[in-house]
Amino acid sequence: MKKINTYNLDWEMIAKGFGLPIDKTIEMFNDGRMLGRIGEFLHQNSNNGVREKENSSFDIKEKDNIKSEIRTITDVVSFASSKEVGFGRKVTEEGFKEKLNSVDRFILIDKRLLEDGVIDTIELIKEDVENLPLRKNKSISAKKFFEKYDRNK
């Protein structure tokens, strides 16, 4: 588990580009789905990668064929397959193993300093994920994750 990138956002410029007040722009970026998509583009650009199609088993194929999955840390961070998450779906051990086998690493977006215009990305290899105290639904609360991450920095 290690920090790999820091991105600095110019809220004034971004807000102006959207024609929104700064506070509304930050609120928009604070959505895990929105920030996850932005994180895909940032990670792709930083790592000379290629974004995969929407229902692919991973998000970015990087140089050296490294397969990365981008996830935003909101109240929780989930490592379950996205096809098993949502209303009427169930996370299974088989689906989780399939997800782990389809990626080389997870890239987590740390948005704790988002209001200051700072986004960090954290790399977790499969062994890191397997050593986390995951719930039955293959997620961990942000609080527990950051306690472990911050302690090991």
Side-chain angles (χ1 to χ4, degrees):
M1 219 180 321
K2 66 180 180 182
K3 180 169 95 168
I4 58 171
N5 281 312
T6 297
Y7 301 97
N8 294 294
L9 307 174
D10 181 340
W11 286 128
E12 193 172 308
M13 184 179 74
I14 296 168
K16 184 177 181 183
F18 279 112
L20 293 170
I22 290 174
D23 65 323
K24 292 298 180 188
T25 303
I26 294 170
E27 181 182 334
M28 177 176 65
F29 273 66
N30 199 25
D31 181 285
R33 296 163 298 180
M34 172 100 170
L35 196 53
R37 180 56 54 103
I38 291 166
E40 289 177 15
F41 283 93
L42 292 171
H43 188 73
Q44 169 195 8
N45 190 55
S46 303
N47 292 276
N48 298 317
V50 175
R51 286 183 65 248
E52 295 295 308
K53 292 181 181 169
E54 204 42 46
N55 294 315
S56 180
S57 59
F58 57 94
D59 294 321
I60 309 291
K61 183 181 269 185
E62 302 167 28
K63 57 187 174 202
D64 302 328
N65 289 321
I66 295 171
K67 298 173 192 162
S68 294
E69 178 76 7
I70 312 300
R71 300 286 171 102
T72 304
I73 304 170
T74 55
D75 294 334
V76 299
V77 59
S78 173
F79 297 97
S81 173
S82 56
K83 68 183 179 185
E84 292 189 343
V85 175
F87 184 74
R89 301 181 206 172
K90 184 178 178 180
V91 175
T92 65
E93 193 64 37
E94 297 79 31
F96 175 64
K97 287 179 183 174
E98 183 181 309
K99 182 61 175 178
L100 283 182
N101 289 331
S102 71
V103 301
D104 295 306
R105 64 185 185 168
F106 285 87
I107 305 298
L108 304 185
I109 300 171
D110 178 354
K111 63 184 188 93
R112 292 179 289 177
L113 299 175
L114 184 67
E115 288 187 19
D116 298 327
V118 177
I119 299 171
D120 289 323
T121 55
I122 302 166
E123 174 193 56
L124 274 73
I125 58 174
K126 292 183 226 186
E127 292 77 18
D128 294 327
V129 174
E130 291 167 338
N131 289 321
L132 289 173
L134 299 178
R135 300 173 183 162
K136 187 176 180 183
N137 65 356
K138 304 307 176 191
S139 69
I140 184 173
S141 74
K143 182 178 187 229
K144 284 185 180 178
F145 173 79
F146 283 123
E147 284 171 0
K148 186 170 181 80
Y149 172 71
D150 290 337
R151 193 171 49 240
N152 294 320
K153 275 202 275 190

